[in-house]
Amino acid sequence: MYCNKCGQTLPEGSRFCNSCGSQTLSASGPSDGPVAVASQVASYADEQVIFTLRPTLIFVLIRYIVAALITIAAAALVGILSNRFPVLSGWTAFVIILGVAILVFSNPIYNHILRRREVYTLTNYKLEMRYGIIAKIRRNIPLRNIQDVTVTASVWQRFLNLGDIEIESASEAGKIILDDIHHPERYSNQILAELRRRN
């Protein structure tokens, strides 16, 4: 069951929306009757997923490559210095290289997990965003609240066929940016097509 004002998912039997505070259709009184409640629930029962996508992992891959090069360079430097300083051989060299590897690989691993947890889903009723590593955050924007869809791309993004989709919303969320998306025009056109169909 969803709020008919902001589109947030409602717990079963809820009288008010936890997000916007508006009264739910099921709590609006006996005058509406069970037919109105059934029609509201049925309007979301036919919800279909148009697309589900994640930001690209290309920049994460570049971070992995840079981290690997730094680790190799550190290993080579320790190998050169161990000829002059015998204390830098054996376990000492291993611990130094391992420490450098852990340090430089922590950033790409963190970004990899962050990107994998970020999911954008468009249905025929709403745009949903899920993200977060420890705490999971879920945001829903009803299609009726979307006012404008813009695609922006930097020089590097255009070179890699990437872009950002900026969505202007009338809801409290304001501007939403779906960043580093492959073929952004394709997905922005799908959003606009759903907007035209809903209006």
Side-chain angles (χ1 to χ4, degrees), residues 67 70-75 78 94-106:
I70 291 172
T71 304
I72 292 168
V78 168
F94 174 77
V95 169
I96 291 172
I97 295 168
L98 181 64
V100 169
I102 291 171
L103 188 66
V104 297
F105 274 98
S106 61

Side-chain angles (χ1 to χ4, degrees), residues 150-154 157-158 162-166 177-178 184-185:
T150 307
V151 174
T152 61
S154 66
Q157 284 177 321
R158 290 186 64 185
L162 301 172
D164 300 334
I165 302 174
E166 297 181 3
I177 299 177
L178 314 184
E185 291 86 4

Side-chain angles (χ1 to χ4, degrees), residues 1-158:
M1 191 170 159
Y2 298 88
C3 174
N4 60 347
K5 185 175 181 183
C6 70
Q8 288 289 334
T9 305
L10 300 175
E12 201 61 43
S14 178
R15 293 180 54 84
F16 295 94
C17 175
N18 294 336
S19 178
C20 68
S22 64
Q23 191 175 23
T24 64
L25 192 60
S26 59
S28 56
S31 61
D32 290 336
V35 176
V37 176
S39 66
Q40 178 64 21
V41 174
S43 68
Y44 285 97
D46 62 344
E47 187 171 23
Q48 298 172 352
V49 174
I50 309 301
F51 65 72
T52 298
L53 58 96
R54 290 183 169 93
T56 184
L57 290 176
I58 288 176
F59 299 115
V60 174
L61 180 61
I62 291 171
R63 284 185 169 96
Y64 276 119
I65 292 170
V66 170
L69 292 174
I70 291 172
T71 304
I72 292 168
L77 182 63
V78 168
I80 292 168
L81 291 176
S82 64
N83 292 333
R84 294 190 177 191
F85 306 102
V87 73
L88 291 177
S89 60
W91 280 103
T92 307
F94 174 77
V95 169
I96 291 172
I97 295 168
L98 181 64
V100 169
I102 291 171
L103 188 66
V104 297
F105 274 98
S106 61
N107 181 268
I109 289 171
Y110 173 79
N111 280 279
H112 192 170
I113 296 169
L114 196 65
R115 288 295 188 189
R116 291 296 299 171
R117 297 284 293 174
E118 196 167 341
V119 182
Y120 310 127
T121 304
L122 177 71
T123 72
N124 51 344
Y125 288 99
K126 67 181 187 295
L127 177 66
E128 179 182 280
M129 289 148 291
R130 297 191 306 270
Y131 52 92
I133 294 178
I134 298 172
K136 190 173 183 180
I137 300 168
R138 188 179 203 165
R139 296 173 68 181
N140 292 298
I141 300 177
L143 290 181
R144 65 178 177 272
N145 289 347
I146 294 177
Q147 297 176 324
D148 186 40
V149 180
T150 307
V151 174
T152 61
S154 66
V155 175
W156 289 109
Q157 284 177 321
R158 290 186 64 185

Side-chain angles (χ1 to χ4, degrees), residues 163-185:
D164 300 334
I165 302 174
E166 297 181 3
I167 298 169
E168 291 284 349
S169 169
S171 65
E172 295 177 4
K175 182 186 283 189
I176 301 297
I177 299 177
L178 314 184
D179 60 338
D180 295 331
I181 303 298
H182 271 295
H183 310 291
E185 291 86 4

